[in-house]
Amino acid sequence: MTEPLVKLCGNRSKQDLAYSADSQATHLGFIFVQGTKRYVRPELVGRWLYEIKPHQKLVGVFVEPTLEELEIVLHYVPLDIIQLHGNETVSEVLQIKEHFAVPVYKVIHHADFGVDYMHLFKGAVDGFVVDSKVKGAYGGTGVRFDWKAIPSYMKEAEHQGVPCLIAGGITDENAAEVLNYHPGGIDLSSGTETDNKKDRNKIQALMREVENYGTSISGSTRAVR
Ligand SMILES: O=C(O)c1ccccc1NCC(=O)[C@H](O)[C@H](O)COP(=O)(O)O
């Protein structure tokens, strides 16, 4: 069994980034979806990164981006992962991978045929995030899905040999519960915020839960990132 990846997503200020970077999270995320509440301008993110120099992997969140949009963001931000949160097709994913030497994670919005949908992306993506399906939103909703479905997503991800993170409504208070389903990682925005800003206490409480879980699984190693 491996220790879970932890992605702190939706960093929208230099202070947010400083709190997230000063944690044992493995990934930090930024929302590059214009018109959404956590949208950040790539040139600002580039400046914060230069000043803070986080040790974590950097993830850019997009919804059906054009190659031009990706080009602009990548000019300012050295992303380690492109996370696609919309209705991107397999051929669009492959086109992105052909243009940019950056791993792509596909978000699956949990639904009855979620695992079948995930299977469609076999060989095309480098990882998955399973998030809640909420009408009118692509992500960052603070809503959880039925976590009993997690093992079936994990089985498919293991079959594909790629990581799979769980998102949607995870907080420091329910982290132990979701970790009991042994996801490859967890991805949080809402649960680490107070008044639309990252909350250092919530981040620290979350990381304590992850650490407790880590010590409870013996002989653990970090998951493949
Ligand atoms: O956060 C947003 O506003 C957002 C908008 C459009 C696409 C994705 C978005 N967020 C992605 C994330 O923050 C995470 O991947 C995940 O959805 C976090 O969910 P939650 O912890 O429930 O906020």
Side-chain angles (χ1 to χ4, degrees), residues 14-99:
K14 188 176 158 191
Q15 183 65 81
D16 277 3
L17 182 60
Y19 286 157
S20 296
D22 186 29
S23 76
Q24 290 310 305
T26 55
H27 293 65
L28 306 180
F30 304 93
I31 310 298
F32 296 113
V33 185
Q34 293 197 31
T36 62
K37 66 179 183 182
R38 297 188 180 91
Y39 170 73
V40 278
R41 284 172 32 221
E43 59 272 32
L44 272 182
V45 176
R47 206 180 304 158
W48 303 335
L49 290 170
Y50 178 76
E51 288 165 8
I52 293 174
K53 297 185 177 50
H55 60 87
Q56 290 91 349
K57 291 205 171 189
L58 306 175
V59 183
V61 172
F62 301 86
V63 169
E64 297 148 27
T66 61
L67 296 178
E68 291 71 25
E69 269 176 71
L70 289 169
E71 191 119 28
I72 292 168
V73 172
L74 284 163
H75 174 76
Y76 291 105
V77 186
L79 293 179
D80 295 296
I81 294 168
I82 291 172
Q83 180 169 316
L84 298 175
H85 250 273
N87 297 308
E88 300 84 5
T89 62
V90 172
S91 66
E92 284 164 345
V93 169
L94 292 173
Q95 200 188 23
I96 290 169
K97 284 178 65 84
E98 208 178 285
H99 270 78

Side-chain angles (χ1 to χ4, degrees), residues 7-12 29-39 59 61-63 83-86 107 109 129-132 134 137-144 166-171 186-193 198:
K7 173 168 163 256
L8 299 179
C9 202
N11 293 285
R12 46 181 142 168
F30 304 93
I31 310 298
F32 296 113
V33 185
Q34 293 197 31
T36 62
K37 66 179 183 182
R38 297 188 180 91
Y39 170 73
V59 183
V61 172
F62 301 86
V63 169
Q83 180 169 316
L84 298 175
H85 250 273
V107 174
H109 290 103
V129 176
V130 182
D131 200 349
S132 304
V134 175
Y138 285 104
T141 59
V143 175
R144 59 190 265 185
I166 299 301
I170 301 171
T171 68
I186 51 176
D187 176 5
L188 304 83
S189 280
S190 312
T192 54
E193 295 172 344
K198 289 283 182 223

Side-chain angles (χ1 to χ4, degrees), residues 72 99 121 191 199 221:
I72 292 168
H99 270 78
F121 290 88
D199 181 324
T221 51

